[in-house]
Amino acid sequence: MLLLEAGRVVPVSRLVAAAWNEEPPGSAEHQVRKTVAKLRSRLPCGPDIIVTDGPGYRAVVDTEQLDLLRYQVLLQQARASLDAGETQRAAAQLREALALWRGPVLAGSGGRVVDAASTALEEQRLTAAEQLYDLRIDAGEAAEITGELRVLVDEHPLRETLRSRLMLALYHSGQQAAALDEFVRARSYLADELGIDPGVDLTGLHERILRQDPSLTRPERAVSRVARQVTEAPHALPFDVPDFSGRSSELEWICEAARRTPEGAPTVLALDGMGGGGKTALAVRAAHQLAERYPHGSLFIDLHGFTPGQTPLSAFQAQGDLLAAAGTPSDEIPTVPAGRAARWQSYMRGRRMLLVLDNAAASEQVRELIPASSDSLVLITSRPRLTGLDGVEWHSVGALPELDSHQLLRNTLGAARVAKEPEAARELLRLCGGLPLAVRIAAARLANRPHWTVQRLVERLRDHDRRLDELTSEGRGVAGALLLSYQSMPPDQRTAFRLLGHHPGRYLDTEEAAALLDTDVMTAEDVLEELVDVRLLEAREPGVYALHDLVRSFVQRVAQGQRAPEDGQAVRRLLDHYLSTAERACDTLFPGRRRFGEDGGEGRVRDEFDRKEKALQWLDQHRESLLAAVDAAYDAGLLWHAARLPRELGFHSSIRGYDASANVALEKGVSASRQLGDRSLTRLNLMNLAMGKWRLGQLRDAVDRLEEAVELSRLMEDVHSEAECRARLGQAYNSMGELERALRLCQEANAVAQELGFTRLDGSSLSTLSLIQVRLGRFEEAVESAERAVAIFDSIKEIQLSVDALSNLSQAIEGLGRFEEALARADAALERCQRMSMPSVLPLVLARRADVLVRLGELDEAADSAGHALVKAASSTDDIHRAAVHLSVGRVLYAQGDLDSAQAQQLLAHEIACRMELRYDEASALWGLARTTEAQGLPQVARQHRSAAGELFALMNVPDSAR
């Protein structure tokens, strides 16, 4: 507050209002004076900087001490230059002023007074930026500012004055169509968000561009320049080692592949091979050679896929790190996956950049990092070949050939020393196995020990048990430096640091720290801030902290070496915190679910998570830590926690769709439950594991686990659990095409649910029942079942399951020929699905909508919805709905008359359905192929497909009306 009004007196009353808004405590003025005294003692020359003046205080600083004053002076100078007609000088002064900004000023939650000041300064910044854009457009630099303007427009989509500058810049750089399209985007956004049309000025500019008004004549310089962004391009490639050797064919392959890729789409190249093979060095060397081709910069990120002791980065974490490396302030990086993914794609759109995604472990790590629309180059390195990635060119990096290994050793150790012991050098290279990393470490050890012969190191390397130790040289110096910092801390701080080392994830928040330290949140935050001060912890965002990778390795070593009884207690407290909070979050997200240990009735939702969004956000932010906590609990023999936590991960995954990793946790949950001899927990984990496997299309595995869960329920005489498992079995058998069996199971489960008052199961069994009834052609019954399910879910405010029920209701109503009504239900399902951000279900809902639009003859809109479904299905890890999506796309293409493309989609759906034993989808694919091949003039092939489909439908008792 004092710096905002530097040089002016700020009354104590205003400081009180800034700190406490409308409800200051009685001691407010005393606390302000106490804070001022502390500031004076901490700031160099504090009493001279903060002076008491009348009713308050005044900050005495000059323009060289405060960037805000410097900024304001530059704006005044720019205005004076404009008044004098010195536009070039004004532009330079505005550019210098705006360069002082490093992100949103006064970011965070500061209260009414501070927020008002922040808003005013942000408005001043945008106005200055618009002045600068006007000057640069007039100077013929329109093509150079389109990228920067587009980023600002994305950040402030309702600011029409910014949008008008972007339209002008695009028009002046020869992109009239893009300028007109920008107006269409603005009009659509304003209509969706505010229900209004663009203002008079923006509309007038659109009309002038449309008729190529002579008053908008482009400056000559704008036409002659190539469009490029004016913002400083990030260049974050690691050091390119000067002694890089070999890999000439691999480098040639990368450069050639980058050159031949057509414009308009990202070039994605990937290098796979064993650890230490030099993939990173190769990618970095190639990136440096190609960097000039990518004018908007280059970024590098280590995804920690195979870093010892390090949890691999998720796509969510990696997007945050990349945005930060590109200069995005931390408080502008969204904290939920959908928002962060959108921000990353928005940043990359229109940019021509080079990305190096290093050390990836799985396709899901990198899939959402690849730009959707960009002329960028993406280089991926990984140990396994990530076959789940589409549109990627791969190259395997093996061991270095002997000549290349020899050259690397000569470059790193010196030609004279190698020539002195040629045989020993060859043996050294053999023991290093052609791995560049091993050769470099061996050379480094010899270089640091000039009195050693090559033969001496060879002899030490021949001891197999010592070889890896001998090929380790880095980390010891860093560990020594960290040890000095650790030993300088007081004993209580060392203890706290050691206990924090038991945190299983990459980031920790104040609540997790409080659990580990057995204290309150405020005290825990004080401890964390002290560790930030001594540079053993990094502050990421308000309330969230991270241990540097090397610090994490060090503190874990300390924790293992100095383990005390309090360490085990800390781990238990953290696991208790995770379990309790995750249960409460899931109770809020999934109303009506049974809490573990309850004999019946509905789970009680506590008020810690008063909104579903808040609960989902907590689960999103802590997912990686929860997964790691299950591993830690299982490995430490804390079986009760290892058995309880996975259930919450399974529920969360049903929304977010990360079942591959959640299922690993659930497998450990099953094992832990069995070791505990707890039938109830075993049954619970088996059922949740089965549903995770069902979503991945592993139907036989799902059924096996559900059958075991049913048997356990019978042994325990647990009627609730048996009904729940039977309903899930019905869901699985429906997917496998055993419709009559599925129908019976769901009817039995529903009858028990109604008898016991188990509301959630009542709704879910009815929802599945409605889909089975649709497939059996019982559309009236299906409508009744689905409507009852929707009503039940609405009564308990259950959103997730209502999406399936509405989708099934849409399908049932379509079967009765009421297409407009069916579309309304599909739209309602889509709205709820998007509200909860459910990537596993979204493709199916979009496909459902496309099917109804085809029946209505709205083929363009159907194609848009189907295309969206296909994109979302490609990025989803869940497979159970993939065949259905391809079938829907095939139906749209068939209706459009694109028979070859329709056939390709139907064949793909058939292949998926056969592999997963999705008999109904298999039959539907054959039925579609019959229609398509018949239209292609292949009657014999069509008869074969129709006959095969008819046999399958007959086995499932599906009538002609439902095919």
Side-chain angles (χ1 to χ4, degrees), residues 654-656 799-801 803-804 832-834 836-843:
S654 69
I655 289 180
R656 291 301 194 223
I799 297 176
Q800 180 208 14
L801 295 179
V803 172
D804 289 329
R832 296 188 186 192
C833 186
Q834 291 174 327
M836 286 287 284
S837 184
M838 299 164 56
S840 61
V841 181
L842 180 59

PDB file of all heavy atoms in Angstrom, residues 654-656 799-801 803-804 832-834 836-843:
ATOM      1  N   SER A 654     -13.083 -42.349 -12.455  1.00  0.00           N
ATOM      2  CA  SER A 654     -14.308 -42.516 -13.248  1.00  0.00           C
ATOM      3  C   SER A 654     -14.730 -41.205 -13.898  1.00  0.00           C
ATOM      4  O   SER A 654     -15.457 -41.205 -14.889  1.00  0.00           O
ATOM      5  CB  SER A 654     -15.435 -43.054 -12.363  1.00  0.00           C
ATOM      6  OG  SER A 654     -15.862 -42.079 -11.423  1.00  0.00           O
ATOM      7  N   ILE A 655     -14.263 -40.066 -13.354  1.00  0.00           N
ATOM      8  CA  ILE A 655     -14.533 -38.770 -13.963  1.00  0.00           C
ATOM      9  C   ILE A 655     -13.396 -38.364 -14.887  1.00  0.00           C
ATOM     10  O   ILE A 655     -13.603 -37.963 -16.019  1.00  0.00           O
ATOM     11  CB  ILE A 655     -14.728 -37.686 -12.874  1.00  0.00           C
ATOM     12  CG1 ILE A 655     -16.043 -37.899 -12.134  1.00  0.00           C
ATOM     13  CG2 ILE A 655     -14.724 -36.286 -13.493  1.00  0.00           C
ATOM     14  CD1 ILE A 655     -16.308 -36.875 -11.054  1.00  0.00           C
ATOM     15  N   ARG A 656     -12.182 -38.471 -14.396  1.00  0.00           N
ATOM     16  CA  ARG A 656     -11.027 -37.944 -15.115  1.00  0.00           C
ATOM     17  C   ARG A 656     -10.379 -38.930 -16.082  1.00  0.00           C
ATOM     18  O   ARG A 656      -9.632 -38.542 -16.961  1.00  0.00           O
ATOM     19  CB  ARG A 656      -9.972 -37.454 -14.115  1.00  0.00           C
ATOM     20  CG  ARG A 656     -10.388 -36.215 -13.344  1.00  0.00           C
ATOM     21  CD  ARG A 656     -10.677 -35.070 -14.276  1.00  0.00           C
ATOM     22  NE  ARG A 656     -10.748 -33.804 -13.580  1.00  0.00           N
ATOM     23  CZ  ARG A 656     -11.661 -32.879 -13.813  1.00  0.00           C
ATOM     24  NH1 ARG A 656     -12.574 -33.097 -14.746  1.00  0.00           N
ATOM     25  NH2 ARG A 656     -11.647 -31.747 -13.156  1.00  0.00           N
ATOM     26  N   ILE A 799     -24.358 -35.678 -10.591  1.00  0.00           N
ATOM     27  CA  ILE A 799     -24.196 -35.212 -11.974  1.00  0.00           C
ATOM     28  C   ILE A 799     -23.571 -36.280 -12.858  1.00  0.00           C
ATOM     29  O   ILE A 799     -24.024 -36.533 -13.978  1.00  0.00           O
ATOM     30  CB  ILE A 799     -23.339 -33.928 -12.009  1.00  0.00           C
ATOM     31  CG1 ILE A 799     -24.051 -32.806 -11.250  1.00  0.00           C
ATOM     32  CG2 ILE A 799     -23.049 -33.501 -13.446  1.00  0.00           C
ATOM     33  CD1 ILE A 799     -23.248 -31.534 -11.152  1.00  0.00           C
ATOM     34  N   GLN A 800     -22.516 -36.929 -12.367  1.00  0.00           N
ATOM     35  CA  GLN A 800     -21.753 -37.845 -13.205  1.00  0.00           C
ATOM     36  C   GLN A 800     -22.635 -38.937 -13.807  1.00  0.00           C
ATOM     37  O   GLN A 800     -22.673 -39.144 -15.024  1.00  0.00           O
ATOM     38  CB  GLN A 800     -20.619 -38.460 -12.391  1.00  0.00           C
ATOM     39  CG  GLN A 800     -19.776 -39.429 -13.215  1.00  0.00           C
ATOM     40  CD  GLN A 800     -19.135 -40.505 -12.363  1.00  0.00           C
ATOM     41  OE1 GLN A 800     -19.514 -40.698 -11.210  1.00  0.00           O
ATOM     42  NE2 GLN A 800     -18.173 -41.209 -12.918  1.00  0.00           N
ATOM     43  N   LEU A 801     -23.362 -39.664 -12.947  1.00  0.00           N
ATOM     44  CA  LEU A 801     -24.176 -40.773 -13.447  1.00  0.00           C
ATOM     45  C   LEU A 801     -25.370 -40.286 -14.260  1.00  0.00           C
ATOM     46  O   LEU A 801     -25.879 -41.006 -15.123  1.00  0.00           O
ATOM     47  CB  LEU A 801     -24.648 -41.642 -12.285  1.00  0.00           C
ATOM     48  CG  LEU A 801     -23.544 -42.387 -11.516  1.00  0.00           C
ATOM     49  CD1 LEU A 801     -24.143 -43.194 -10.371  1.00  0.00           C
ATOM     50  CD2 LEU A 801     -22.756 -43.298 -12.449  1.00  0.00           C
ATOM     51  N   VAL A 803     -25.289 -38.125 -16.511  1.00  0.00           N
ATOM     52  CA  VAL A 803     -24.862 -37.966 -17.908  1.00  0.00           C
ATOM     53  C   VAL A 803     -25.147 -39.243 -18.687  1.00  0.00           C
ATOM     54  O   VAL A 803     -25.706 -39.203 -19.795  1.00  0.00           O
ATOM     55  CB  VAL A 803     -23.358 -37.613 -17.960  1.00  0.00           C
ATOM     56  CG1 VAL A 803     -22.855 -37.651 -19.404  1.00  0.00           C
ATOM     57  CG2 VAL A 803     -23.111 -36.240 -17.356  1.00  0.00           C
ATOM     58  N   ASP A 804     -24.786 -40.392 -18.116  1.00  0.00           N
ATOM     59  CA  ASP A 804     -25.078 -41.672 -18.776  1.00  0.00           C
ATOM     60  C   ASP A 804     -26.582 -41.872 -18.928  1.00  0.00           C
ATOM     61  O   ASP A 804     -27.063 -42.322 -19.979  1.00  0.00           O
ATOM     62  CB  ASP A 804     -24.495 -42.824 -17.959  1.00  0.00           C
ATOM     63  CG  ASP A 804     -22.981 -42.871 -18.029  1.00  0.00           C
ATOM     64  OD1 ASP A 804     -22.431 -42.469 -19.066  1.00  0.00           O
ATOM     65  OD2 ASP A 804     -22.359 -43.304 -17.051  1.00  0.00           O
ATOM     66  N   ARG A 832     -23.928 -31.258 -18.941  1.00  0.00           N
ATOM     67  CA  ARG A 832     -23.481 -31.765 -17.641  1.00  0.00           C
ATOM     68  C   ARG A 832     -22.082 -32.375 -17.740  1.00  0.00           C
ATOM     69  O   ARG A 832     -21.263 -32.237 -16.830  1.00  0.00           O
ATOM     70  CB  ARG A 832     -24.475 -32.795 -17.111  1.00  0.00           C
ATOM     71  CG  ARG A 832     -25.852 -32.208 -16.824  1.00  0.00           C
ATOM     72  CD  ARG A 832     -26.760 -33.202 -16.124  1.00  0.00           C
ATOM     73  NE  ARG A 832     -28.107 -32.677 -15.972  1.00  0.00           N
ATOM     74  CZ  ARG A 832     -29.045 -33.221 -15.204  1.00  0.00           C
ATOM     75  NH1 ARG A 832     -28.765 -34.331 -14.520  1.00  0.00           N
ATOM     76  NH2 ARG A 832     -30.247 -32.687 -15.112  1.00  0.00           N
ATOM     77  N   CYS A 833     -21.827 -33.043 -18.835  1.00  0.00           N
ATOM     78  CA  CYS A 833     -20.518 -33.663 -19.032  1.00  0.00           C
ATOM     79  C   CYS A 833     -19.421 -32.605 -19.084  1.00  0.00           C
ATOM     80  O   CYS A 833     -18.354 -32.753 -18.480  1.00  0.00           O
ATOM     81  CB  CYS A 833     -20.526 -34.484 -20.319  1.00  0.00           C
ATOM     82  SG  CYS A 833     -19.039 -35.455 -20.600  1.00  0.00           S
ATOM     83  N   GLN A 834     -19.682 -31.519 -19.789  1.00  0.00           N
ATOM     84  CA  GLN A 834     -18.702 -30.446 -19.883  1.00  0.00           C
ATOM     85  C   GLN A 834     -18.568 -29.710 -18.563  1.00  0.00           C
ATOM     86  O   GLN A 834     -17.480 -29.252 -18.199  1.00  0.00           O
ATOM     87  CB  GLN A 834     -19.093 -29.489 -21.005  1.00  0.00           C
ATOM     88  CG  GLN A 834     -18.955 -30.111 -22.394  1.00  0.00           C
ATOM     89  CD  GLN A 834     -19.486 -29.218 -23.497  1.00  0.00           C
ATOM     90  OE1 GLN A 834     -20.445 -28.466 -23.291  1.00  0.00           O
ATOM     91  NE2 GLN A 834     -18.904 -29.320 -24.676  1.00  0.00           N
ATOM     92  N   MET A 836     -18.693 -30.995 -15.614  1.00  0.00           N
ATOM     93  CA  MET A 836     -17.844 -31.796 -14.726  1.00  0.00           C
ATOM     94  C   MET A 836     -16.494 -32.135 -15.357  1.00  0.00           C
ATOM     95  O   MET A 836     -15.634 -32.685 -14.696  1.00  0.00           O
ATOM     96  CB  MET A 836     -18.567 -33.098 -14.367  1.00  0.00           C
ATOM     97  CG  MET A 836     -19.704 -32.919 -13.384  1.00  0.00           C
ATOM     98  SD  MET A 836     -19.131 -32.591 -11.725  1.00  0.00           S
ATOM     99  CE  MET A 836     -18.613 -34.231 -11.237  1.00  0.00           C
ATOM    100  N   SER A 837     -16.319 -31.800 -16.649  1.00  0.00           N
ATOM    101  CA  SER A 837     -15.081 -32.122 -17.363  1.00  0.00           C
ATOM    102  C   SER A 837     -14.761 -33.604 -17.228  1.00  0.00           C
ATOM    103  O   SER A 837     -13.858 -34.015 -16.510  1.00  0.00           O
ATOM    104  CB  SER A 837     -13.913 -31.285 -16.826  1.00  0.00           C
ATOM    105  OG  SER A 837     -12.748 -31.515 -17.570  1.00  0.00           O
ATOM    106  N   MET A 838     -15.540 -34.427 -17.950  1.00  0.00           N
ATOM    107  CA  MET A 838     -15.430 -35.882 -17.856  1.00  0.00           C
ATOM    108  C   MET A 838     -14.864 -36.438 -19.171  1.00  0.00           C
ATOM    109  O   MET A 838     -15.619 -36.797 -20.078  1.00  0.00           O
ATOM    110  CB  MET A 838     -16.807 -36.490 -17.567  1.00  0.00           C
ATOM    111  CG  MET A 838     -17.407 -36.017 -16.244  1.00  0.00           C
ATOM    112  SD  MET A 838     -19.189 -36.333 -16.097  1.00  0.00           S
ATOM    113  CE  MET A 838     -19.275 -38.095 -16.363  1.00  0.00           C
ATOM    114  N   PRO A 839     -13.540 -36.521 -19.315  1.00  0.00           N
ATOM    115  CA  PRO A 839     -12.953 -36.936 -20.595  1.00  0.00           C
ATOM    116  C   PRO A 839     -13.271 -38.356 -21.007  1.00  0.00           C
ATOM    117  O   PRO A 839     -13.226 -38.677 -22.188  1.00  0.00           O
ATOM    118  CB  PRO A 839     -11.445 -36.758 -20.350  1.00  0.00           C
ATOM    119  CG  PRO A 839     -11.280 -36.814 -18.866  1.00  0.00           C
ATOM    120  CD  PRO A 839     -12.530 -36.223 -18.296  1.00  0.00           C
ATOM    121  N   SER A 840     -13.601 -39.239 -20.040  1.00  0.00           N
ATOM    122  CA  SER A 840     -13.866 -40.623 -20.404  1.00  0.00           C
ATOM    123  C   SER A 840     -15.237 -40.793 -21.049  1.00  0.00           C
ATOM    124  O   SER A 840     -15.453 -41.719 -21.826  1.00  0.00           O
ATOM    125  CB  SER A 840     -13.747 -41.520 -19.173  1.00  0.00           C
ATOM    126  OG  SER A 840     -14.693 -41.148 -18.197  1.00  0.00           O
ATOM    127  N   VAL A 841     -16.170 -39.918 -20.722  1.00  0.00           N
ATOM    128  CA  VAL A 841     -17.545 -40.051 -21.214  1.00  0.00           C
ATOM    129  C   VAL A 841     -17.836 -39.081 -22.361  1.00  0.00           C
ATOM    130  O   VAL A 841     -18.690 -39.340 -23.199  1.00  0.00           O
ATOM    131  CB  VAL A 841     -18.552 -39.811 -20.058  1.00  0.00           C
ATOM    132  CG1 VAL A 841     -19.988 -39.972 -20.536  1.00  0.00           C
ATOM    133  CG2 VAL A 841     -18.265 -40.770 -18.913  1.00  0.00           C
ATOM    134  N   LEU A 842     -17.097 -37.961 -22.419  1.00  0.00           N
ATOM    135  CA  LEU A 842     -17.387 -36.926 -23.407  1.00  0.00           C
ATOM    136  C   LEU A 842     -17.442 -37.446 -24.842  1.00  0.00           C
ATOM    137  O   LEU A 842     -18.364 -37.080 -25.587  1.00  0.00           O
ATOM    138  CB  LEU A 842     -16.361 -35.798 -23.276  1.00  0.00           C
ATOM    139  CG  LEU A 842     -16.532 -34.628 -24.249  1.00  0.00           C
ATOM    140  CD1 LEU A 842     -17.897 -33.987 -24.088  1.00  0.00           C
ATOM    141  CD2 LEU A 842     -15.428 -33.601 -24.031  1.00  0.00           C
ATOM    142  N   PRO A 843     -16.514 -38.298 -25.299  1.00  0.00           N
ATOM    143  CA  PRO A 843     -16.607 -38.767 -26.692  1.00  0.00           C
ATOM    144  C   PRO A 843     -17.926 -39.475 -26.999  1.00  0.00           C
ATOM    145  O   PRO A 843     -18.512 -39.281 -28.063  1.00  0.00           O
ATOM    146  CB  PRO A 843     -15.418 -39.731 -26.817  1.00  0.00           C
ATOM    147  CG  PRO A 843     -14.463 -39.305 -25.760  1.00  0.00           C
ATOM    148  CD  PRO A 843     -15.305 -38.828 -24.626  1.00  0.00           C
TER     149      PRO A 843
END
